[in-house]
Amino acid sequence: MTDALVLGAGMAGVSAALMLQKRGWSVALIDRQAPGRATSFGNAGIIQSEAVEPFAMPRDLRSLWNIILGNTNDVHWRLRHLGPHVAPLLSYWWHSGGSRYRRAVEVHSALVARAAEAHAPLIAAAGAESLVRREGFRVLHRTERGMDQEVAVAERFHADYGVPHRVLSAEALARAEPGLKFTGVGAMHWLNSWTISDPGTLTTAYAQLFAKRGGTIEIGDAETLISDPSSGWMVATVNGLLRAEHVIVALGPWSGQFLTRFGFRIPMVRKRGYHLHYSGQPLDLPLLDADFGYVMAPMTRGLRITTGAELTGPDAKATPWQLERAEIAARHLVTLGAPVENSPWFGTRPCMPDMLPVIGRVAGLKGMWTHFGHGHQGFTLGPATGEILAQLMTDRATAMDVSHLSPNRFHRCDVTTACVRSSNRTRRQDAMAALP
Ligand SMILES: Cc1cc2nc3c(=O)[nH]c(=O)nc-3n(C[C@H](O)[C@H](O)[C@H](O)COP(=O)(O)OP(=O)(O)OC[C@H]3O[C@@H](n4cnc5c(N)ncnc54)[C@H](O)[C@@H]3O)c2cc1C
């Protein structure tokens, strides 16, 4: 019998599956589509060893005011979809300061320190070296003030965490990126991050490695999951039922909604981002345009522009306003060329208000574990946190204190209440009915 079912085959799910498999577990990976086709497909592809401090919500009035007035391209919000965001945003604001933020930094930096070394053996074993560059990425600034602020952060990161960087003048940036038409006041080159030319393909390569090592990958809907008296858990796939003693929820931005069935109220800040590829002259390394909040990354399918955070509804139609502004700003920097696709891709960063992923055993639900909520750095952190989850599941000592990552830090209500019961029944029935 299978030892564990992993629900969700993004970077988080595939990584957890590989780490358990490494410990001799028999694992099945279940997704409603092929591995690596959701958020892990469309991101900026940076394994961010420089991102040692989690992405906090600005707390100074000037930044907040700019967000409220829509003066920044980093964040875009839509009034009619803002309602469900309010409580998670207030909690995010609360956790972005004082001792709460210091604790998040302590845990997050310990995770990021493990990220690249956790990817390295997987990249090698998956034969994916050709997708990876280990030369960092750059952040272009258009104002002295912005550059000075980033230099101060870089010097602190170097002193506190050993993160290497190089400050580039406008002339040095022009030499490094001859395709740039405008180099602002220069750039910060973060040196120890890795950049991936196709993040979806890297996730798929990891999934193929998992299959090659004997893992099972099945198409199925996580909503069909039920507890099974004989085995523990059971899920329906297009090829029949799968049973296992353990189940891991790795559904990325869909994890919170999924867990409402089990009485959880997960306050996720869902930050949507868009991407589109362009046919123009490629850059050498990815470039973040700090003043317009987007990344331009040379990728297999062209120059990929990825945007900042849009606060909208999970099923709201695409409103790529930030992408349009990013495109105008990017045309000022490079010969961008024509869009490669007719419409942009979008996906959602699964951000927790306390900025920490949700990893561990679910109290009161025997054999259920979680591995989601990696926010802005899920592509970076998947293998490192997958390793920690596998250590927890196999009762080994974890490499670090993981008490702050537990899923049991969230409020849980009585699953027998009428509304939860009826929503569970409907979602399960719909999921079962959709199977062939
Ligand atoms: C624009 C953008 C840029 C980003 N850039 C970076 C970056 O440079 N570096 C970085 O580290 N991170 C980046 N991120 C964040 C990163 O992409 C995410 O944190 C990460 O991909 C999350 O991985 P995941 O496996 O948790 O979720 P996903 O990749 O979304 O995987 C979840 C899986 O669950 C499946 N699923 C959902 N519901 C069901 C169901 N009912 N039944 C079966 N399967 C289901 C989905 O199909 C999906 O495959 C970026 C994100 C965005 C949006």
Side-chain angles (χ1 to χ4, degrees):
M1 193 181 81
T2 308
D3 296 314
L5 306 169
V6 179
L7 306 178
M11 183 52 88
V14 172
S15 300
L18 278 161
M19 297 308 175
L20 282 170
Q21 186 184 54
K22 192 173 77 177
R23 288 166 169 81
W25 284 41
S26 155
V27 183
L29 195 49
I30 295 103
D31 200 299
R32 59 187 172 196
Q33 56 186 331
R37 295 290 97 191
T39 329
S40 302
F41 168 81
N43 57 53
I46 307 177
I47 295 178
Q48 289 191 263
S49 296
E50 92 298 341
V52 282
E53 298 191 349
F55 205 91
M57 186 169 174
R59 283 168 67 96
D60 62 291
L61 284 177
R62 184 187 149 123
S63 303
L64 287 173
W65 197 235
N66 278 335
I67 292 172
I68 290 166
L69 293 180
N71 290 342
T72 161
N73 204 34
D74 296 349
V75 185
H76 179 225
W77 51 277
R78 300 186 59 209
L79 188 57
R80 58 189 283 243
H81 294 293
L82 208 53
H85 287 284
V86 172
L89 282 174
L90 286 172
S91 175
Y92 186 21
W93 181 85
W94 171 248
H95 283 95
S96 295
S99 59
R100 280 103 39 208
Y101 186 62
R102 282 198 294 280
R103 186 182 66 199
V105 167
E106 196 183 314
V107 180
H108 180 89
S109 60
L111 294 175
V112 167
R114 292 172 165 76
E117 70 191 41
H119 272 282
L122 300 182
I123 291 168
E129 285 293 348
S130 62
L131 299 171
V132 185
R133 283 189 66 188
R134 295 176 171 81
E135 290 161 67
F137 72 100
R138 303 186 180 99
V139 184
L140 177 140
H141 285 276
R142 295 164 189 250
T143 65
E144 293 288 356
R145 185 169 173 270
M147 189 72 201
D148 290 347
Q149 282 172 350
E150 180 136 9
V151 170
V153 169
E155 285 172 356
R156 189 168 61 74
F157 280 11
H158 185 244
D160 293 354
Y161 311 99
V163 177
H165 67 271
R166 185 180 302 136
V167 179
L168 300 180
S169 64
E171 296 72 32
L173 177 58
R175 282 194 297 277
E177 290 286 4
L180 281 178
K181 296 189 280 187
F182 173 73
T183 53
V185 299
M188 175 61 64
H189 188 163
W190 294 100
L191 295 166
N192 67 339
S193 307
W194 298 354
T195 59
I196 310 300
S197 59
D198 191 337
T201 299
L202 185 68
T203 313
T204 305
Y206 287 2
Q208 285 166 350
L209 175 66
F210 165 74
K212 201 170 105 191
R213 289 174 173 173
T216 303
I217 302 178
E218 290 287 357
I219 299 290
D221 190 336
E223 294 289 355
T224 61
L225 182 80
I226 51 170
S227 66
D228 176 43
S230 63
S231 57
W233 296 98
M234 182 169 75
V235 71
T237 74
V238 293
N239 289 317
L241 298 173
L242 282 176
R243 294 182 171 80
E245 186 184 345
H246 299 272
V247 63
I248 299 162
V249 179
L251 296 167
W254 295 274
S255 304
Q257 166 68 15
F258 175 78
L259 284 169
T260 57
R261 267 180 58 191
F262 300 93
F264 274 96
R265 294 267 182 273
I266 306 278
M268 193 181 274
V269 183
R270 298 171 53 91
K271 298 186 188 175
R272 185 187 278 187
Y274 295 83
H275 89 216
L276 195 62
H277 295 94
Y278 295 83
S279 62
Q281 186 179 358
L283 291 167
D284 182 41
L285 289 174
L287 187 77
L288 194 164
D289 186 351
D291 297 270
F292 287 86
Y294 67 93
V295 174
M296 236 186 321
M299 296 237 172
T300 316
R301 273 169 304 141
L303 203 50
R304 175 182 289 189
I305 289 189
T306 54
T307 63
E310 185 184 44
L311 302 173
T312 185
D315 303 317
K317 68 177 178 48
T319 47
W321 180 86
Q322 289 160 295
L323 188 62
E324 285 160 20
R325 281 182 68 168
E327 181 181 323
I328 294 167
R331 289 197 186 283
H332 189 53
L333 299 183
V334 293
T335 305
L336 197 57
V340 171
E341 298 95 357
N342 292 330
S343 56
W345 170 94
F346 63 82
T348 302
R349 301 169 182 90
C351 301
M352 307 317 296
D354 60 8
M355 293 155 279
L356 294 174
V358 188
I359 299 163
R361 182 198 296 269
V362 177
L365 287 169
K366 192 164 179 286
M368 182 180 276
W369 303 80
T370 60
H371 190 224
F372 66 88
H374 298 75
H376 288 253
Q377 272 94 39
F379 187 66
T380 300
L381 291 175
T385 56
E387 176 75 20
I388 287 170
L389 178 73
Q391 288 167 351
L392 278 173
M393 292 182 70
T394 52
D395 288 333
R396 301 206 184 154
T398 48
M400 56 179 277
D401 175 15
V402 291
S403 52
H404 296 301
L405 305 178
S406 165
N408 306 311
R409 67 192 195 261
F410 299 108
H411 175 71
R412 196 139 163 240
C413 62
D414 180 4
V415 278
T416 59
T417 55
C419 66
V420 173
R421 257 204 336 260
S422 76
S423 112
N424 287 352
R425 208 170 32 241
T426 317
R427 281 162 52 196
R428 235 185 359 253
Q429 280 164 354
D430 287 352
M432 288 300 225
L435 289 170

